[in-house]
Amino acid sequence: MKGVDEAGAEKQAPEQQETPVLRPRKPAKPASKRVVRFLPLVLLTLVIAALAVPMGLGVAPGFLGPGFMGAAGTPAPKVPAWQQVPKQLSRTQIVAPLDASAPVPLPADVTNQLNALLTPDGGGDFTGVVEDALTGLPLYDRDGAKNRVPASNMKLLTAVAALRAIGPETRFSTRVLAGPSASTIILSAGGDVLLGDGPSQPSEVLGHAGLETLASDAAKALQGRGVKGPVTVQLDDGLFTGPALNPAWSLDDVAAGETAPIFPIALNSARTSPGATTGARPQDAALTAAEAFAEKLQAAGAAAGFTVVPGVERASAPAGKQDVLASVVSATVREQVDLMLETSDNYLAEVFGRMAALSAGKPGSNDGATAAVSAQVAELGIATDSMHLADVSGLALGNQVSARQFADVVRAITSGPDTRLRAALAGFPVAGLTGTLGDRYGDASTSQGAGLVRAKTGTLNSVIALSGYVVDANGRLLVFSFIGNGLTPGAAGNKVALDRSATALASCGCTGG
C-alpha cells in the first residue's frame, strides 16, 4: 500500500555502553591543606543551617498545619498510620492471570442489579448487553439486538479494522521525493496525521515524526546533490479519494471543530497546536502541513545554500520508482489506536478507516472506509447484516449498531483468537484516571468502579454509550455495552446511570451466594 512503511517493525540495535577508563590516582594532599581548603565551606554550612532553623519553623506550619512542631504551644498531633514510614516492606505482588474457574455471575442477579440502575434521566431509553468474556455466555440482555446510534463507540469497530487490515506494528511514512527538475521536490503524504512541526520525538505518539527533522534531512540531501537557487515545494496528497468532508456530518459539528475535511497528512491530528482539543480546525490540513514544511525547509536551506519559493501547489508524484530524498515515520498503528480510543479522536479514526480500506484494496474514501470496517468486523464472526455505518468515527447520526455487536467486539479484543486485537486494550479509558473517563467515577455511587472499569465512551446531543470490560469481585472478566438513544439533552443523570451500571459489574459477586 502506498504510504505504509513497515520499517517500524525492524529491531534497533541496543545502545552501546561506554567502557570505564581507569586512570592513575593522584597523590593525596597533606591533611593540613585539606582542612584549610574546606574550612570556609564548613563555616558557610553552619551559617546556612543557623538561618534555616527559624525559617523552617515559620514555613513548616504552612505545609503541615498549625499544630505541627508545637506552633503556638499546641502539641504536635499524632501522625496517622498511613502517613508514617513503614517498619517493613510488604511482599512484592504480581498480577496473576485470571482464573478460568472463577464463578460466572448468575444472569438473574446481574439483571436485577442493572435494571435498577440503567434508567434514563428524562426521555429516551437504554439498551444493554453483558457477556462472560471467556465463554460468551450472555448475562444481561435488554434489547441487545436493537440498532442504536452509538456515537464514539464506533471507534471500537475502527480500531479492530485498523489492527487487522493495517497491522499493529505498521508505521506510516511521510517522504520528500525528487521532482521533475533538480530544483523541485514533492512532499508525499502517507497517512501520518500526527506530525509535529518540530524535531521528531521518538518517545511520543503525537509528534513522533517531525517536519523540522524531515526538512533538515531533505536540505542535506539537496546540498549533497549540489542544488542551488530557489527550490519549489509541491504536495502529493492523492492517497485519499472522494469528498474530504463526509456528507453525513452536521456542518455545525464541523464548524465547532469536532472534525474537519480528511487528508492523508496533517499536523497534530488537524489541530492548531499539540495541546488543542477543541476549537476550529484547519480546513485544509494537508496544505497547512505542507506550508509548515516549506518554512522549515527555508530555515534549513539558509545554511545549505538555497532558498524556497513561497507557496505550495498540489501535484502528483512521478509514476514508477521514486527518488526519496528524506522520510520520517509515524508511531506504530498500535500506539495510534490507543491514542484514538483514549482521547476519542474523530479525525484520526476517519484516517484509520481510509488506511484500512487501502490496505484491503478498497478506495481510500468515506465509502471505502465504512465498507472496510464492516468487512473486518464480519471476519471476526460477528453478524453485521443489520449494521449500517455512515462514518467510522461515530459523529454521524446515521450509524446503526447494536449493543450486542459492541459487546461481541469488546470480547474479540479481550479474549478472541485474533491476538492482534489485544493491542487495543491499553487504549480503553480507565475509570477516574485516564482519557474520556478521567473526570468520572468520583462520587460515592461510582467510586468503587474507579481504576477497575475500562470502557470507550460515546456522547452526542441525545446519545450516550459506554462499552468495555471489567473484572468482577470474583475474578471473572466481563464485557459490556450500554447505549442510550433519544435522551434528554444535557440531563446529567444519564452519564451517571452508565457509570453506576459499570460499577455494579465491578463489585458484582452475583453468584447467588
Side-chain angles (χ1 to χ4, degrees):
M1 181 188 68
K2 180 181 178 183
V4 176
D5 195 317
E6 298 287 352
E10 296 179 2
K11 296 182 178 179
Q12 297 181 352
E15 295 184 1
Q16 295 182 350
Q17 297 182 348
E18 295 184 0
T19 304
V21 179
L22 300 179
R23 295 181 175 87
R25 180 180 297 176
K26 295 182 179 180
K29 295 182 179 180
S32 60
K33 292 185 177 181
R34 293 200 303 271
V35 171
V36 171
R37 179 183 177 185
F38 289 106
L39 184 56
L41 181 60
V42 172
L43 292 176
L44 180 60
T45 303
L46 292 174
V47 171
I48 292 174
L51 292 173
V53 171
M55 289 175 63
L57 291 174
V59 173
F63 286 97
L64 305 171
F68 187 79
M69 295 184 66
T74 304
K78 183 179 179 181
V79 179
W82 58 270
Q83 289 184 349
Q84 297 180 21
V85 177
K87 295 180 180 179
Q88 63 180 17
L89 297 177
S90 60
R91 293 188 304 170
T92 301
Q93 297 185 4
I94 300 174
V95 178
L98 294 174
D99 184 1
S101 64
V104 179
L106 296 177
D109 286 357
V110 176
T111 298
N112 288 337
Q113 289 205 32
L114 294 187
N115 278 343
L117 297 170
L118 199 60
T119 57
D121 180 4
D125 66 313
F126 284 108
T127 61
V129 168
V130 180
E131 298 174 351
D132 177 57
L134 184 62
T135 64
L137 178 70
L139 305 176
Y140 178 74
D141 192 328
R142 181 195 288 182
D143 292 329
K146 185 178 180 180
N147 265 344
R148 311 248 75 184
V149 180
S152 283
N153 273 206
M154 271 297 307
K155 295 181 179 69
L156 290 171
L157 310 187
T158 305
V160 163
L163 292 170
R164 285 176 53 87
I166 308 171
E169 306 308 321
T170 300
R171 300 175 187 265
F172 304 141
S173 64
T174 304
R175 301 177 297 165
V176 177
L177 309 175
S181 67
S183 60
T184 300
I185 62 173
I186 301 172
L187 179 65
S188 178
D192 187 0
V193 296
L194 301 181
L195 287 163
D197 66 354
S200 296
Q201 302 180 63
S203 62
E204 301 295 330
V205 180
L206 183 65
H208 186 93
L211 291 183
E212 186 174 317
T213 297
L214 183 63
S216 176
D217 291 347
K220 292 175 183 176
L222 291 171
Q223 184 181 32
R225 299 187 179 197
V227 174
K228 301 290 183 181
V231 172
T232 298
V233 176
Q234 296 179 337
L235 169 66
D236 181 1
D237 62 345
L239 193 62
F240 296 167
T241 56
L245 200 62
N246 191 327
W249 291 333
S250 162
L251 293 181
D252 290 339
D253 287 337
V254 176
E258 294 294 337
T259 191
I262 306 300
F263 294 95
I265 182 173
L267 286 167
N268 310 312
S269 197
R271 291 286 188 189
T272 54
S273 65
T277 56
T278 59
R281 295 173 181 258
Q283 292 305 292
D284 192 333
L287 196 59
T288 298
E291 290 172 346
F293 168 76
E295 290 179 5
K296 299 294 182 181
L297 186 64
Q298 170 71 25
F306 64 83
T307 59
V308 175
V309 176
V312 176
E313 295 183 355
R314 285 182 163 90
S316 297
K321 187 176 181 180
Q322 296 171 333
D323 187 1
V324 180
L325 300 176
S327 66
V328 288
V329 295
S330 70
T332 62
V333 167
R334 171 199 302 270
E335 294 168 321
Q336 294 188 62
V337 162
D338 287 348
L339 180 66
M340 175 192 70
L341 294 177
E342 184 174 316
T343 62
S344 201
D345 189 319
N346 291 323
Y347 199 92
L348 184 56
E350 293 294 337
V351 169
F352 270 138
R354 287 156 177 74
M355 297 301 285
L358 291 169
S359 294
K362 303 178 185 294
S365 62
N366 295 321
D367 292 342
T370 55
V373 170
S374 181
Q376 289 297 330
V377 172
E379 288 182 15
L380 291 173
I382 298 172
T384 60
D385 294 345
S386 63
M387 184 184 295
H388 175 72
L389 305 186
D391 72 5
V392 296
S393 62
L395 195 59
L397 291 173
N399 291 313
Q400 292 288 301
V401 188
S402 71
R404 182 177 299 159
Q405 289 166 328
F406 279 114
D408 287 343
V409 166
V410 176
R411 183 172 172 241
I413 293 171
T414 61
S415 45
D418 190 341
T419 56
R420 291 174 296 180
L421 304 187
R422 304 291 188 272
L425 288 174
F428 282 73
V430 181
L433 294 176
T434 64
T436 54
L437 285 182
D439 60 352
R440 290 162 64 169
Y441 293 80
D443 63 32
S445 66
T446 59
S447 60
Q448 285 186 315
L452 301 178
V453 174
R454 303 195 66 150
K456 180 70 196 76
T457 56
T459 306
L460 292 173
N461 193 35
S462 60
V463 175
I464 191 168
L466 192 69
S467 299
Y469 62 96
V470 67
V471 177
D472 74 3
N474 291 319
R476 199 76 189 183
L477 179 62
L478 310 178
V479 298
F480 63 88
S481 178
F482 306 129
I483 307 174
N485 277 191
L487 303 174
T488 301
N494 291 319
K495 188 177 293 184
V496 175
L498 295 188
D499 294 347
R500 287 176 178 173
S501 298
T503 297
L505 294 178
S507 56
C508 184
C510 310
T511 55

